[in-house]
Amino acid sequence: MGRKHKKQREGQFWKGKSKFERPRKERPPVNYEELVRENKNFEAYYKAQKIVNEGEWDEFMSCMKENLPAAFRITGSKDMACALLGVMKKTFFEPLSKLVPTELAEGELEAGELAAKPLKPIRLPWYPDNLAWQLNLTRSIIRRCEAYWQLHQFLITETETGNISRQEAVSMIPPLVLDVQPHHKVLDLCAAPGSKTAQLIEFLHGSDDKVLAATPNGLVVANDVDNKRCYMLTHQAKRLQSPAFIITNHDAAFMPNIHHTNQDGNVQPIKFDRVLCDVPCSGDGTLRKNFDVWAKWNPVNGANLHGLQLRIARRGLEMLGVGGRLVYSTCSLNPLENEAVIQRLLLESDDAVQLVDVSQQLPGLKFNPGLEDWVLMNREMEVIKSAAEIPVKNTNLFNKHLFPPSEENKGKLNLTKCIRILPHHQDTGGFFVAVLEKVKPLPGEKVFTEKDDDAKSASNTQRIRQPPKKRRCQGYKEEPYFYFKDDEPIWPGISNFYGMRKEVKPGHFFHRAREGKKRNIYITTNLVKDIITLNQHRLKIINTGVKVLVRSDNKGAPCDFRLAQEGCRVLLPLFSNRKITVTKNDLVLMMQNDDMEMPPEIVTLHSNTQEQCVDLCTGAVAFLYSGDDGVNVELVGWKGNKSVRAYVAKNDRIHYLRLLGADTSRYEKNKFQEQRNTELKNSEKTETSTTDDKIESSMNTSENGDENVTEMTENDAPEDSCVEESNTIEAQ
């Protein structure tokens, strides 16, 4: 009752007042520069670990307290990525490298503003094809310098379209050393938010053959325990257009087996060729961007996470096939989360797993080898030298497996093959990477033969405890996947209209609607279909497939489904009809015309394009452009009776226009230009008002002055030339 009356009183008090008149509680401004980037226990702990040479310690700590520079990589197919790289260098990097430093006003100097300096982008030497870069951009320079602001807008729009991925430099390393090939079955156990997963998908689609690049023989299974973060993975997948991608939502430590049909027709659990375990960690390698970690850090964080990290990595090894490769990585510097986990995996495997030296795969990367000795400390910063000296109060936190290896095991384990990346070496974050190869089955692991089809007996391996059968379903309940049958009623119309190849069967496509019309149609590879069919009721599958067709109930078209842009790359190699080859000018014309009421007319296109349109009836089409500069564009659209239209989103239009070297100003807002236009209008208004004042003043002077002057002016005025001209015209 009290709360209700309180609301009524508040309503009476504010009655008749607009929301803009109400006083608001002002939030105190947050200044991230004021956060204390210091922790004495952190310094004492890592000095004792000797992760840095004594002569580099001051440089290491100084770098840890600086802001992390921005890093990004260019994604997509190799030809399109190289084309975008060329645009970026020519349009942004080259002009900014010649930028003349601006002079600051006194107020700006007092406020601590920095002058805009010439840009010095850093290419990451160890990333293939020069597609990864690092930039030191500050908010103040972006806010004040137009050239830097335009570069920032370029990075934003290209990131939204998926052509650029904002990703920390060291985070790009695990997928590189995993060495994914198009035929590999890849498992990412802790995938969200998905930057590394995106790299895995790109490598899976990295074949030079167009058909194989669109529909590879392998697949990527991305898993995460957090249901909400799985939908971030779905967003990544939508931009990457992969029909060989599955998102699952399970606890990685208890990841269930995924069954598939082998070549002999038997159903068996998949043994993956590649497994990525980028496990949860304390994150003290990210202190340069996550400043709050400074205050939260303590020496026992690593010990608290050790068990979880070990279980995830162990499960990854069990799902890995013999001859396969597993990458274990963390963004932590703590040896309890890194070398201690690897040590235990190696000792428990009984020589079934061994470390791989991948230093040659990363030319130009500076790193330190893994540690073979480290120190344990409790929260009170007390050093624990051996398992026998663990205090009673810490027995639930530390165990014998956390201590460094004995002298006998050091040479056997070869922990120096691990990679430890330190921030001051190449201005990055801290990171740890270890690459493991499985050379034989693990102790107690179920070994399957080609004739073994007992899937139930394969559901468990030694050491794996499956979660309870009756579990509460977390998150949203996903709709099932309904694959087309051979007698699907809508398939003949689609197949005939687009001219599908004979090897393309309706069983490749699926929909999600239980009843009613099918709104969206998706496609997957045969391997993904097999997995979905066998595991749909066992796995919690969040998303899979690429949307290739969308219902379009247009009475003027014989087919009820149009092409979807996000599935263009996958579907185009599978059909032969409804394709129009266009010129560069045609493409620019369609990109710059987004008026749905007045689309470009066919007669305005190139003559060759017009000829191709003659024999095509109304309906969906694909526009194909192949340039001499390596730029290949594939867009979906609509061909009407007299006009054509491209279905392209705003940011995609900007992207393609950039690649074609066309004007993009129509779709881009330049706040600096808008400010200049506003100032110009204000100055024109001021000049106009000043002129009006002068005229009014002059008229007042004439009215109060000598009348003879006025009479003389009126009598001596020249004849109106316009009158003479009109008389001449009438005479003619």
Side-chain angles (χ1 to χ4, degrees):
M1 293 294 291
R3 184 179 299 176
K4 179 178 180 181
H5 290 302
K6 181 179 179 182
K7 289 183 178 179
Q8 291 177 350
R9 290 195 301 269
E10 290 178 350
Q12 293 172 357
F13 180 77
W14 295 115
K15 188 176 181 180
K17 293 188 177 183
S18 68
K19 63 179 181 180
F20 300 104
E21 297 174 336
R22 304 177 188 178
R24 295 181 178 180
K25 294 182 180 180
E26 295 185 358
R27 296 180 180 179
V30 180
N31 186 0
Y32 291 99
E33 299 295 334
E34 295 179 358
L35 292 174
V36 179
R37 305 187 190 187
E38 186 176 356
N39 190 310
K40 293 182 179 179
N41 289 344
F42 174 87
E43 296 187 35
Y45 183 81
Y46 281 113
K47 269 189 176 180
Q49 306 300 346
K50 298 180 180 180
I51 63 170
V52 182
N53 298 330
E54 292 183 3
E56 300 178 13
W57 179 259
D58 293 339
E59 183 184 1
F60 165 73
M61 286 305 303
S62 176
C63 185
M64 289 290 288
K65 297 177 182 179
E66 295 176 355
N67 290 342
L68 184 70
F72 65 91
R73 58 184 181 82
I74 303 175
T75 65
S77 61
K78 186 177 294 185
D79 57 342
M80 295 292 283
C82 292
L84 185 60
L85 175 62
V87 171
M88 183 174 63
K89 285 182 177 180
K90 183 178 180 180
T91 308
F92 300 101
F93 285 1
E94 291 181 6
L96 281 170
S97 64
K98 302 174 183 177
L99 183 70
V100 178
T102 56
E103 295 183 2
L104 299 178
E106 293 184 3
E108 293 174 329
L109 291 172
E110 293 176 358
E113 297 283 355
L114 299 175
K117 299 179 180 179
L119 179 69
K120 294 182 179 179
I122 300 174
R123 177 183 62 83
L124 301 182
W126 38 266
Y127 201 89
D129 301 319
N130 301 332
L131 297 180
W133 295 79
Q134 198 167 334
L135 296 173
N136 202 346
L137 298 176
T138 62
R139 293 182 181 272
S140 60
I141 292 179
I142 293 172
R143 186 176 62 251
R144 293 175 54 257
C145 179
E146 182 175 359
Y148 274 96
W149 184 84
Q150 289 176 340
L151 171 61
H152 187 242
Q153 293 302 305
F154 164 78
L155 296 176
I156 290 175
T157 56
E158 293 296 339
T159 300
E160 289 177 353
T161 59
N163 298 296
I164 283 181
S165 177
R166 174 74 184 275
Q167 186 177 356
E168 192 175 345
V170 290
S171 176
M172 305 176 192
I173 295 174
L176 285 179
V177 296
L178 200 59
D179 190 26
V180 174
Q181 302 299 324
H183 62 278
H184 282 160
K185 301 178 185 68
V186 186
L187 173 63
D188 189 353
L189 280 172
C190 307
S195 56
K196 298 182 185 68
T197 309
Q199 282 181 272
L200 299 177
I201 296 174
E202 290 172 26
F203 296 147
L204 187 74
H205 290 265
S207 174
D208 295 331
D209 182 83
K210 288 187 177 181
V211 176
L212 190 59
T215 54
N217 296 326
L219 87 156
V220 173
V221 178
N223 175 76
D224 200 87
V225 67
D226 191 322
N227 182 263
K228 292 181 179 179
R229 285 164 64 91
C230 284
Y231 291 94
M232 299 173 67
L233 288 172
T234 302
H235 178 67
Q236 290 275 18
K238 184 178 179 181
R239 298 186 303 177
L240 292 168
Q241 304 179 9
S242 175
F245 182 50
I246 301 175
I247 300 173
T248 61
N249 178 207
H250 290 278
D251 184 347
F254 304 106
M255 183 73 183
N257 283 322
I258 302 174
H259 295 86
H260 79 305
T261 306
N262 62 16
Q263 295 179 353
D264 291 344
N266 297 323
V267 176
Q268 295 178 355
I270 293 178
K271 289 296 183 179
F272 289 89
D273 303 293
R274 298 289 186 267
V275 176
L276 176 60
C277 296
D278 186 56
V279 298
C281 63
S282 61
D284 56 15
T286 66
L287 285 168
R288 300 184 64 186
K289 66 174 183 179
N290 297 325
F291 310 136
D292 57 334
V293 179
W294 282 103
K296 299 177 182 179
W297 189 93
N298 68 73
V300 300
N301 286 343
N304 285 328
L305 290 167
H306 174 88
L308 173 63
Q309 295 163 341
L310 177 68
R311 291 192 296 273
I312 293 174
R314 185 188 286 155
R315 182 56 181 148
L317 284 177
E318 291 167 344
M319 300 186 75
L320 182 68
V322 175
R325 177 177 288 192
L326 179 144
V327 170
Y328 176 89
S329 62
T330 71
C331 52
S332 169
L333 302 173
N334 199 329
L336 301 188
E337 303 177 65
N338 299 323
E339 285 90 349
V341 175
I342 299 301
Q343 170 193 221
R344 192 166 177 183
L345 289 174
L346 294 172
L347 292 175
E348 291 179 352
S349 69
D350 192 19
D351 297 330
V353 178
Q354 61 185 16
L355 277 168
V356 180
D357 184 3
V358 293
S359 57
Q360 300 301 319
Q361 291 184 232
L362 303 166
L365 177 68
K366 297 179 181 178
F367 60 89
N368 282 2
L371 300 176
E372 292 186 309
D373 290 292
W374 55 87
V375 177
L376 271 66
M377 294 184 183
N378 59 13
R379 192 180 294 271
E380 292 76 27
M381 299 300 293
E382 299 171 347
V383 177
I384 305 173
K385 297 182 179 180
S386 64
E389 299 179 13
I390 297 177
V392 177
K393 61 181 179 181
N394 299 132
T395 52
N396 62 335
L397 182 63
F398 299 116
N399 58 64
K400 63 179 181 179
H401 301 289
L402 292 174
F403 291 89
S406 61
E407 293 295 331
E408 178 184 355
N409 287 331
K410 285 182 180 179
K412 177 183 177 181
L413 298 178
N414 293 318
L415 293 177
T416 54
K417 291 183 179 180
C418 300
I419 294 176
R420 180 181 295 276
I421 302 167
L422 301 176
H424 66 289
H425 283 162
Q426 289 176 300
D427 198 14
T428 64
F431 212 73
F432 176 86
V433 180
V435 182
L436 298 168
E437 183 180 357
K438 189 173 182 179
V439 295
K440 65 179 182 180
L442 298 172
E445 180 180 353
K446 171 73 174 179
V447 179
F448 297 95
T449 62
E450 292 297 325
K451 297 181 180 180
D452 190 353
D453 60 351
D454 188 5
K456 294 184 179 180
S457 65
S459 60
N460 295 326
T461 61
Q462 190 182 20
R463 302 181 182 279
I464 289 301
R465 176 177 57 84
Q466 293 289 345
K469 292 183 179 180
K470 293 183 179 181
R471 283 194 307 164
R472 182 182 176 184
C473 183
Q474 300 292 333
Y476 301 101
K477 185 177 181 180
E478 296 294 326
E479 290 291 336
Y481 301 85
F482 302 101
Y483 277 90
F484 285 1
K485 297 180 180 179
D486 293 338
D487 58 349
E488 175 62 42
I490 66 173
W491 177 249
I494 295 174
S495 179
N496 295 332
F497 183 73
Y498 290 104
M500 292 290 179
R501 294 185 175 182
K502 294 181 179 180
E503 59 268 23
V504 180
K505 304 298 181 183
H508 292 104
F509 301 85
F510 71 87
H511 60 98
R512 304 292 299 274
R514 288 181 179 273
E515 299 176 354
K517 290 184 177 181
K518 302 172 178 62
R519 308 302 304 179
N520 300 316
I521 297 177
Y522 305 82
I523 189 173
T524 62
T525 61
N526 288 329
L527 177 58
V528 171
K529 176 188 176 182
D530 181 53
I531 292 174
I532 297 297
T533 304
L534 293 174
N535 300 271
Q536 189 165 186
H537 302 294
R538 301 179 60 257
L539 288 177
K540 187 177 180 184
I541 301 173
I542 300 297
N543 193 270
T544 190
V546 178
K547 183 166 64 176
V548 291
L549 294 169
V550 180
R551 178 172 286 278
S552 177
D553 295 326
N554 192 310
K555 295 181 180 180
C559 182
D560 294 334
F561 291 87
R562 64 171 178 84
L563 301 171
Q565 180 62 39
E566 62 190 79
C568 181
R569 176 187 173 189
V570 181
L571 193 61
L572 278 179
L574 305 182
F575 68 88
S576 56
N577 297 342
R578 313 298 300 178
K579 296 181 180 180
I580 301 176
T581 303
V582 297
T583 65
K584 181 177 179 179
N585 293 335
D586 292 340
L587 207 57
V588 172
L589 178 63
M590 287 187 285
M591 291 294 99
Q592 292 181 338
N593 190 322
D594 58 352
D595 188 352
M596 299 298 291
E597 300 298 329
M598 295 294 292
E601 294 187 358
I602 297 176
V603 294
T604 61
L605 304 177
H606 192 272
S607 58
N608 291 336
T609 307
Q610 295 183 41
E611 292 176 3
Q612 297 175 69
C613 293
V614 171
D615 297 330
L616 291 180
C617 61
T618 298
V621 292
F623 299 108
L624 311 179
Y625 167 74
S626 180
D628 297 333
D629 53 357
V631 177
N632 299 314
V633 180
E634 299 171 343
L635 301 177
V636 303
W638 189 268
K639 187 264 176 186
N641 292 328
K642 297 182 179 180
S643 62
V644 293
R645 181 184 296 119
Y647 294 137
V648 186
K650 175 184 174 181
N651 288 331
D652 288 320
R653 288 178 184 269
I654 298 174
H655 168 70
Y656 290 123
L657 287 172
R658 282 194 184 117
L659 294 182
L660 297 171
D663 180 27
T664 61
S665 58
R666 178 177 180 178
Y667 302 102
E668 294 180 300
K669 290 185 178 180
N670 188 332
K671 67 175 185 179
F672 291 89
Q673 185 62 42
E674 291 177 353
Q675 183 177 357
R676 287 193 292 266
N677 294 338
T678 303
E679 293 174 354
L680 180 61
K681 289 181 180 179
N682 293 336
S683 64
E684 289 176 353
K685 289 180 180 179
T686 304
E687 292 177 359
T688 303
S689 61
T690 304
T691 304
D692 292 342
D693 292 342
K694 289 181 179 179
I695 294 173
E696 184 179 356
S697 177
S698 175
M699 292 177 64
N700 292 335
T701 303
S702 299
E703 291 174 358
N704 299 327
D706 190 356
E707 295 179 358
N708 294 329
V709 175
T710 306
E711 292 176 358
M712 180 185 66
T713 304
E714 292 175 353
N715 295 332
D716 295 344
E719 295 182 357
D720 192 348
S721 59
C722 294
V723 175
E724 292 181 357
E725 184 178 354
S726 63
N727 293 334
T728 304
I729 294 173
E730 289 177 0
Q732 292 177 353

